[in-house]
Amino acid sequence: MNATHEVFNQPSPLVDTNLFGANRAMQSALAFNAPALDTAPLRALGAVVGSGEMQTHARLANVHTPQLKTHNRFGQRVDQVEFHPSYHALMTAATAAGLHGTAFSAEQQATGHAHQLRAAGFMLFTELEPSILCPISMSYAVAPALKDNPAIYKDWEAGLTSRAYDPQLKVWRDKAGLTMGMGMTEKQGGSDVRANTTRAEPAGSDAWGQRYSVTGHKWFFSAPMCDAFLILAQTTSGLSCLFLPRVLPDGSINQLFIQRLKDKLGNKANASSEVEFVGASAWLVGEEGRGIPQILAMGTMTRLDCALGTSGLMRQALGIALNHTAQRKAFGKTLIDQPLMKNVLADLALESEAATALALRLARSFDRASDPHEQVMNRLLTPVAKFWICKRGSHFAQEAMECLGGNGYVEEGGEGIMARIYREMPLNSIWEGAGNIMAIDLLRALRKADAAAALAQELEPSRNMHPALDRLAAQLPIRVEEMASEMEARRLAQDVALAVQAALLAQTAPAAVFSAFCDSRLDGQWGHSFGSLGAGADFDAILQRAMPT
Ligand SMILES: Cc1cc2nc3c(=O)[nH]c(=O)nc-3n(C[C@H](O)[C@H](O)[C@H](O)COP(=O)(O)OP(=O)(O)OC[C@H]3O[C@@H](n4cnc5c(N)ncnc54)[C@H](O)[C@@H]3O)c2cc1C
């Protein structure tokens, strides 16, 4: 009892719901892209990640942040990161759900939709806690690149695909599960990794092939307690990709020294470090001097995860905003029934559904890698989805936060989930290639001969469904053929994203969602802030579809 007043008109939080069961946009996108997919595992995961128990783990892992222990009490270096038990609970749950390397197991690959199942699971897990998904994502993404050292992949495959989480610092063969990270960025350059100064000198060869001694540093090195890393270093042939384990095959600890952990805006549960290598042992992956394309095989997959992750965060923020406004009253009505709030929420719902549709469409291309059309779409849509979805994230989070008024801005010991989402949002846009780098990468992708034709084919099913989409669809292949200069690359990436999102919504979403999306994003019936949809939109239908329960 409060002594002075009764507490009322404060909404109950969104807890113990099935995050998959209520996500109609995700269900439609999966039914369209992977009709044979059995969604039972997602329904099971939706209940886990929506539970109050797991939400408590997410809060605790973000409040009790990782601590670096460089030395033990005897003055010996140990280079360990200590985590709260809730961090380990989250890692255990994500690994058990197969969100790291499991999609590459023979069993999962045989289904034909391993990447889409895992993509939807990853998106759902993001709604619980995104920062532990950094090592999960890297452990997923590493397989295509690591396979180019077949001897290492043979030894590590079982651990990378297993559903067991094993945080012990032990030699790979003694572990039930393995995780991996990546090290490219150095102080003098992250986008332009050609500036890397870390050196790798030949040091004989063994069962894993050519061995090197690595000396240098990495300025950003996330999840340094992973079992191994793909890194870039200069050899006599140029920048090369190397496999650097923390524990060497003979059981000794590799010469990797963690200097400090980054003090970050968000992403608090994840440890991101600065490291130095002092004659560390590493093995060549792929060809010497071809390090950038080699490690980009990993980067392509982590870029998919950036798009999935931001889509998940959008959905989480939208769900919280809808839950809050459906209960909170102001000026005699629940907020969700106030016309202008309806407009804000519906506009956010359109953005969230479009992000979900585009991210899961991109995931489909990873499952159909032998199909020539999917290959081109994979190359085009990876930078497009990473650029556009992640770019929209921060603006989206701010608006969703505002729906909660002052409560949205409050941390309250980690209970203010909106604040956590807001702090997390810019990250997916920066790492794995920031916005400009993605837009420039799209130009590179468009230089492929069949890019314009593939884009036209992708948009074809939505022809004659909305005049604004038809206009954009007619114009885009010409702009693609003419190949815009770098100066216009962001605009082109935006327009390709919007056209593909609209074409997908034409095929997966109700008419209310599709037409409001096209009217606003393609036909100019929109302002510069969320909440400026034209009055003709079917607000109730859009909101009903988006409700989180
Ligand atoms: C929390 C966190 C964790 C990270 N973890 C890792 C990790 O585990 N491993 C790892 O290797 N890296 C990691 N990174 C690094 C991240 O990938 C880089 O910060 C990012 O790639 C940008 O590189 P940079 O910081 O050197 O910025 P810069 O390369 O200096 O770029 C600065 C800005 O310039 C723009 N820019 C660059 N070149 C051009 C151009 N030609 N034209 C127009 N604009 C351009 C970029 O888009 C960017 O906006 C992490 C970063 C963060 C924030």
Side-chain angles (χ1 to χ4, degrees), residues 14-289:
L14 186 60
V15 71
D16 290 328
T17 55
N18 189 314
L19 294 180
F20 178 72
N23 194 335
R24 286 165 278 277
M26 176 182 280
Q27 290 165 21
S28 298
L30 288 174
F32 172 71
N33 289 298
L37 176 78
D38 173 12
T39 57
L42 295 172
R43 198 164 288 277
L45 179 62
V48 171
V49 293
S51 70
E53 182 190 347
M54 290 308 284
Q55 286 185 10
T56 301
H57 282 311
R59 180 175 66 78
L60 292 173
N62 277 277
V63 172
H64 303 285
T65 53
Q67 301 295 317
L68 174 62
K69 201 173 164 198
T70 52
H71 297 79
N72 65 15
R73 68 183 191 280
F74 305 107
Q76 291 150 334
R77 281 210 75 129
V78 289
D79 294 279
Q80 295 267 20
V81 182
E82 288 181 337
F83 295 92
H84 188 270
S86 285
Y87 174 90
H88 296 300
L90 293 165
M91 286 293 289
T92 302
T95 312
L99 303 183
H100 63 317
T102 307
F104 288 98
S105 67
E107 183 199 344
Q108 282 296 308
Q109 284 291 305
T111 65
H113 43 238
H115 292 292
Q116 291 171 89
L117 176 66
R118 183 264 172 194
F122 188 88
M123 213 187 264
L124 290 174
F125 207 101
T126 307
E127 291 193 50
L128 171 65
E129 210 297 303
S131 44
I132 69 110
L133 291 177
C134 170
I136 293 292
S137 171
M138 294 191 290
S139 305
Y140 163 68
V142 75
L146 189 58
K147 281 179 181 174
D148 284 336
N149 184 320
I152 297 178
Y153 193 72
K154 185 166 163 283
D155 285 345
W156 282 62
E157 182 181 6
L160 288 169
T161 56
S162 123
R163 288 178 188 255
Y165 168 61
D166 184 347
Q168 306 277 336
L169 186 64
K170 286 191 301 199
V171 66
W172 58 271
R173 69 178 78 82
D174 293 342
K175 292 195 59 162
L178 296 164
T179 51
M180 280 195 64
M182 72 202 296
M184 296 182 284
T185 310
E186 296 185 4
K187 287 173 184 151
Q188 68 283 355
S191 307
D192 188 2
V193 289
R194 294 170 306 178
N196 272 197
T197 59
T198 295
R199 298 181 324 276
E201 313 282 348
S205 66
D206 55 27
W208 284 351
Q210 180 66 57
R211 188 172 174 148
Y212 293 80
S213 169
V214 178
T215 302
H217 79 283
K218 294 295 165 189
W219 180 231
F220 281 93
F221 198 74
S222 283
M225 63 294 155
C226 283
D227 295 292
F229 306 86
L230 286 190
I231 63 149
L232 290 178
Q234 302 284 358
T235 67
T236 47
S237 308
L239 206 53
S240 304
C241 177
L242 297 130
F243 172 85
L244 190 150
R246 286 219 57 197
V247 182
L248 295 171
D250 66 5
S252 61
I253 304 293
N254 208 353
Q255 296 294 298
L256 179 160
F257 301 102
I258 306 174
Q259 304 303 299
R260 56 178 177 165
L261 298 186
K262 297 283 192 191
D263 182 7
K264 298 173 288 184
L265 169 66
N267 195 251
K268 297 284 187 186
N270 180 34
S272 299
S273 68
E274 298 161 17
V275 294
E276 291 189 1
F277 312 120
V278 188
S281 293
W283 285 260
L284 185 66
V285 176
E287 279 177 55
E288 244 197 43

Side-chain angles (χ1 to χ4, degrees), residues 31 47 169 197 245 315 335 368 440 469:
L169 186 64
T197 59
R315 172 66 201 166
L335 286 173
R368 302 204 192 154
I440 292 169
L469 177 55

Side-chain angles (χ1 to χ4, degrees), residues 3 56 314 325 340 411 489 498:
T56 301
M314 283 183 181
T325 53
L340 196 47
E411 293 271 2
L498 290 174

